[in-house]
Structures are given as structure tokens and as C-alpha cells.
Amino acid sequence: PAMDPEDFLDDINAGLLCTICHNVMVNPHTCRKGHQFCFGCITSWLHRSKTCPSDRGDLDEDSLTKNLLANDLIDGMRVDARMQQRMWRGAANVAGESCIVIEIDGCDGQGGCEWRGILSERARHLKDECAFVEVHCGLAGCDLKVLRAQLAEHRAVCAHREVACERCADRFPARESSQHLLTCKGVEIDCPLECGTKVLRGDLSRHEKECGELVVCCSFAEHGCQVRSKRKKISGHEEEATSSHAQLAASAAKRLRVECSELAMALAEKSKQVAEQAVRLLDLQTQLTICQKEKSTQKATKVKFKIEDFTKMLKAKKGFKSRTFHVETKAGTYPMYLGVGFYRKPGSTQQGFVGLWLEHDARESGLLKFPIKLAGTRIEVESVVGGRAYKRVSRREENDMIHEPGGDWGETASFVTDKIAGVTWSSRDKDADLTKVCKRDVRDYLKDDTMLVTATVRLAPAEELWV
């Protein structure tokens, strides 16, 4: 687009004219040598030749800069409503192509618009104010354009305007008024069953429930009557068919009595099953109570194991075994002993731990039953620190098993307790090792180089406790 100097009310400085189109510049740009062009003109030129139109020197689009000063001067010049814009198809003075004059989509002064102002404000005037600019109707579905001054008048009669029905208050586009009458609930119509009554379309469903022309079933249809007739005649049928209807009702009553009898029998069978299940549940609860009582009354064996010269034995890396003691159960008497050993920590040549365990004495196995269950076994080690006595409960087991010696579980039948780290110990950390800082170490469990181990052992054959 280009702007003719004659369109301006102010005198135009020659420095504001495009070197190519010789009109007032639109989006003025300058080359490095100061030559000025419309941006559209120079970019169109550069598509044909990478030279400056003024001096034929080398030129490309990247070397162009916007002339902000010229742009501000042009925007501040006064124009009126008769201004035209021209669009160039190239450079007329160089390529010999003529420009085409195009009226902008706005007022041209012929309709009476007297606006005058600076160029930068003209676009806002045309967009928001000018009464002689063609604008779109704006109603959904309407593509017409009218002068802004005539917009309100057009919308008042536009076929796409929204109107309200006087009969039912529904809203719809005015052009659909005729079509709406075909479905309007406020329009009075003849009964479609031809009873002669006129009803509103919206009340048709209610009328059909009362219309004498509607075909309905006999009130004894649920009992087997298959007669269908118009509502106004069905009462006559029911009066005439009293005897047959009584027979249908009697047959229906008989079928209902049979169904009730069958349901009663099925209910009795279900009640019997529920009672049997209740008896079975009571038996299971009784068995569970007996098992729990046997468990709580299972005799426990308490033993103490004193280990003297502990430090000496530790240096020699020799373990300790107590004398054999016997634990009585309903299945027999089981020989057991306690053991204490010193072990090297896996992967370490310096760190170690003390291990305590409960083991079955395989030399006296005899005909005893295995596996045997640890029904609440407890092993403790006493500790004396600062004159106060503590007890380290290493483990209490309910479900661990001691298996038959020499079976799939190995040559011995043992229950191994937690490890006691050689230099650290934490009553809250099951896997304490030498890298953790704990309150007490193994030396705190020694008094006069003696360690006292106590155990409460309760055993039961596995089959007695599994329920």
C-alpha cells in the first residue's frame, strides 16, 4: 500500500517520499547509505535485484533498518476522510508497472463524514467511530455488511435476530418463525385420535390419558384377558365378561398359591443350611478356644547359663555350650542346650559379632516328633552399666520351627537368635554392626568377665497349634 501526498492536509517534505513509488512512505526503511523506501516497495525490488534502486550498490534485506523518525513524522501528519490508499504491484518508475487505486474499507467523505486528524488516529476512527464505514451485522448466521449508521435499523429487521414466541415464550431466529409453529407447544391442534377435541400441543400427552378414542387393554390383562378396545368401550366389555374374568382371577390366585408354597419350601431349606453352618461355626470356635487354652497353659522351662572367663574365651575364639536341659511337652521331652559363639562378619577381617542360639541335642532324639514349634521362647542377656541392671531381649518367637536332626534342614536342629555386635549394640536395631554408634557394646554385658544368659523355653508339636 502507498499514500498519495495529495491525501494529506499538510505539506509533505520530500524526505518522507519513497525512492521507488514516490508516495509517502508506508513503514519506512533505510539502507546503510541513507536511501529511504516503503518496506513493501524495497522488499519487492530485492526479489528481482539485490541492488539499491538509488545507486545500484549491493543491498539485501538484512541490511535494512526501520526509520523510526520518519515513521513518527508521517503518523503525526493531518489527513481527512477523503484519504485513499494505493497498492503497488512493483516499482512503477523502474519496472514500468502502473499502480492500482483501491478505496479502503471505510468512509470516503462522500457520505458526510467531516473527520480530520493525524494519520495514526485515522485507523481508530474508521474502526470504532465512523458512521459511514461498512461493518458486519454481527448476528449469528448473517454475512451482510451495512454502514455503521444503519446497523441498528438493520438488526431490528434482520432475519437472523432472536425473537420470542408469543404462545410458548421459546426463543429462536426470526427466519425460523414458520417452522416453529409446526412444533410450538402453545398452538391449539385437533386431537390426532379424532375425538373432536381441540387441545394445546403441549397438553397432548395429558389428553391422550383421558381420550375415549385411545385403544387400551382390559384391566384383567395381567390375569390373561387379551381384549383391546377403545377406552370409551372397554367398560362395556368388562361388564359383559364378568364370569370369564372371575375364572381368570381364580386361575391367577391358584398359580400365586403354588409359587408361595415353592418359595416357602426354598426358604425352609435355606434356613436349614444356615442352622447347619451355625453349628459348624460353633464347633470351630470351641476347637479354637481349646487350642488357645492349651497354648497358654503350655509348661515353660526356665534356664540360666553363666559364661566365665569370657574375654579369655573370646580371644581364643572358642564358643560355649550349656549343659543339656529338658523341655517337657505333650508329645514328649525334648533335650536342648544354649550356645554362645564368636563369628567374623562377612566381608570383614576385623569386625565380628557374638551369636546366641537354642539348639536341640541330637544325641538324645530318640522317637521324638519333629518339627517342634517354638511357642513363645525368650532368650535374654543381662547388662550392667553404671551400676544399673538392664536386660537385652534378643528374640521371642511364636511360629519358628526346630526340625528333625539330619533331615533336609541340616545335621543340627537350631534356633539362632539375633547377633550382638562386637563393639556396638542397639536395642532398637536388629542388624547392628560396627559402623553404627550404639549405647552399649558387648563389654557392657559382662560383670567380672562373666556373661549371664537366661532363657524361657516353651515348645509344642506343630500339629497341636495349627488350626
Side-chain angles (χ1 to χ4, degrees):
M3 297 180 290
D4 195 316
E6 296 180 359
D7 292 335
F8 290 82
L9 301 177
D10 298 324
D11 294 334
I12 303 299
N13 189 298
L16 300 179
L17 300 180
C18 174
T19 306
I20 298 175
C21 68
H22 304 294
N23 286 290
V24 179
M25 290 183 291
V26 177
N27 192 8
H29 275 65
T30 307
C31 70
R32 291 191 180 96
K33 295 183 180 180
H35 305 136
Q36 302 183 125
F37 322 92
C38 297
F39 185 71
C41 292
I42 188 60
T43 52
S44 178
W45 171 276
L46 292 176
H47 287 161
R48 296 176 174 85
S49 174
K50 299 297 182 181
T51 60
C52 175
S54 299
D55 62 5
R56 295 298 188 268
D58 293 338
L59 182 65
D60 55 37
E61 190 171 329
D62 292 338
S63 63
L64 297 174
T65 57
K66 185 168 183 177
N67 192 330
L68 298 177
L69 177 59
N71 190 75
D72 292 342
L73 289 174
I74 294 171
D75 282 347
M77 299 181 69
R78 293 184 304 128
V79 296
D80 61 15
R82 284 182 289 272
M83 179 182 180
Q84 296 177 334
Q85 288 187 335
R86 295 168 173 81
M87 180 173 292
W88 285 81
R89 291 180 178 173
N93 61 337
V94 177
E97 299 179 0
S98 61
C99 65
I100 297 177
V101 179
I102 300 176
E103 293 292 341
I104 64 170
D105 191 13
C107 67
D108 59 4
Q110 298 176 4
C113 182
E114 299 295 334
W115 178 88
R116 289 189 176 189
I118 62 175
L119 178 62
S120 60
E121 295 181 354
R122 187 172 186 276
R124 179 190 58 79
H125 164 71
L126 295 176
K127 178 182 177 183
D128 302 328
E129 300 173 355
C130 185
F132 299 93
V133 173
E134 283 191 341
V135 294
H136 287 283
C137 167
L139 295 177
C142 183
D143 297 328
L144 291 179
K145 295 176 67 176
V146 297
L147 295 180
R148 184 178 278 118
Q150 301 171 349
L151 182 60
E153 180 182 355
H154 164 73
R155 286 185 174 179
V157 297
C158 181
H160 296 273
R161 73 187 187 280
E162 187 178 70
V163 296
C165 177
E166 297 178 354
R167 297 177 179 84
C168 68
D170 283 354
R171 302 187 69 84
F172 47 85
R175 59 188 174 85
E176 298 178 2
S177 297
S178 299
Q179 183 179 359
H180 170 72
L181 291 176
L182 300 177
T183 59
C184 179
K185 296 180 180 180
V187 173
E188 193 174 63
I189 61 174
D190 293 326
C191 172
L193 299 176
E194 300 180 353
C195 70
T197 305
K198 287 185 174 295
V199 294
L200 296 178
R201 184 179 281 114
D203 295 336
L204 186 58
S205 297
R206 179 181 58 80
H207 168 72
E208 288 180 348
K209 295 179 181 178
E210 304 171 352
C211 182
E213 296 297 321
L214 182 67
V215 176
V216 296
C217 296
C218 174
S219 58
F220 282 81
E222 61 178 326
H223 301 310
C225 183
Q226 299 181 356
V227 173
R228 290 172 55 84
S229 179
K230 292 184 178 181
R231 180 179 280 116
K232 64 183 181 182
K233 297 180 179 181
I234 199 68
S235 58
H237 157 73
E238 292 176 349
E239 292 177 359
E240 296 173 358
T242 303
S243 177
S244 61
H245 286 169
Q247 294 178 1
L248 291 174
S251 299
K254 182 178 180 180
R255 289 194 301 272
L256 184 61
R257 285 193 295 270
V258 173
E259 291 177 2
C260 289
S261 176
E262 293 175 351
L263 289 174
M265 293 176 62
L267 179 61
E269 180 64 24
K270 289 294 182 182
S271 299
K272 181 180 178 181
Q273 294 177 6
V274 171
E276 292 174 352
Q277 293 295 334
V279 172
R280 183 179 178 187
L281 176 61
L282 182 61
D283 290 343
L284 291 175
Q285 290 177 337
T286 302
Q287 294 176 19
L288 178 61
T289 302
I290 293 173
C291 291
Q292 291 176 339
K293 185 176 180 181
E294 289 180 354
K295 177 180 178 180
S296 61
T297 57
Q298 183 71 43
K299 186 176 180 180
T301 300
K302 296 183 179 180
V303 296
K304 290 188 176 181
F305 180 25
K306 182 183 291 186
I307 306 170
E308 299 177 341
D309 296 329
F310 189 89
T311 305
K312 180 179 178 181
M313 299 299 290
L314 174 62
K315 292 181 179 180
K317 297 183 179 179
K318 292 183 178 181
F320 306 90
K321 289 184 179 181
S322 70
R323 292 193 299 272
T324 300
F325 59 90
H326 296 82
V327 181
E328 295 182 2
T329 70
K330 294 175 64 175
T333 301
Y334 288 78
M336 312 293 293
Y337 62 84
L338 291 172
V340 178
F342 309 104
Y343 304 94
R344 183 179 300 171
K345 184 178 179 180
S348 174
T349 58
Q350 297 179 351
Q351 299 176 353
F353 59 87
V354 176
L356 289 80
W357 72 88
L358 174 67
E359 187 167 338
H360 171 254
D361 191 343
R363 298 171 300 177
E364 302 181 24
S365 294
L367 300 176
L368 294 173
K369 294 182 179 180
F370 287 94
I372 194 73
K373 194 171 188 179
L374 296 167
T377 294
R378 187 184 188 93
I379 300 178
E380 300 175 350
V381 182
E382 292 186 356
S383 172
V384 178
V385 180
R388 296 182 59 189
Y390 297 89
K391 286 187 177 181
R392 166 60 188 174
V393 180
S394 60
R395 187 177 291 181
R396 179 172 180 169
E397 291 296 332
E398 296 288 344
N399 297 317
D400 276 5
M401 300 286 183
I402 293 180
H403 295 269
E404 183 177 6
D408 294 337
W409 294 83
E411 294 299 328
T412 61
S414 302
F415 160 56
V416 181
T417 69
D418 288 343
K419 304 171 184 178
I420 305 176
V423 294
T424 60
W425 173 261
S426 173
S427 61
R428 292 188 295 270
D429 195 339
K430 179 180 177 181
D431 296 320
D433 57 41
L434 294 178
T435 61
K436 295 186 178 180
V437 179
C438 302
K439 293 182 178 180
R440 295 183 290 276
D441 60 25
V442 174
R443 292 170 295 178
D444 294 323
Y445 295 93
L446 301 177
K447 185 176 181 180
D448 299 330
D449 205 27
T450 299
M451 176 180 285
L452 182 62
V453 179
T454 62
T456 301
V457 183
R458 182 182 286 110
L459 304 177
E463 61 271 14
E464 293 185 8
L465 293 180
W466 288 356
V467 295

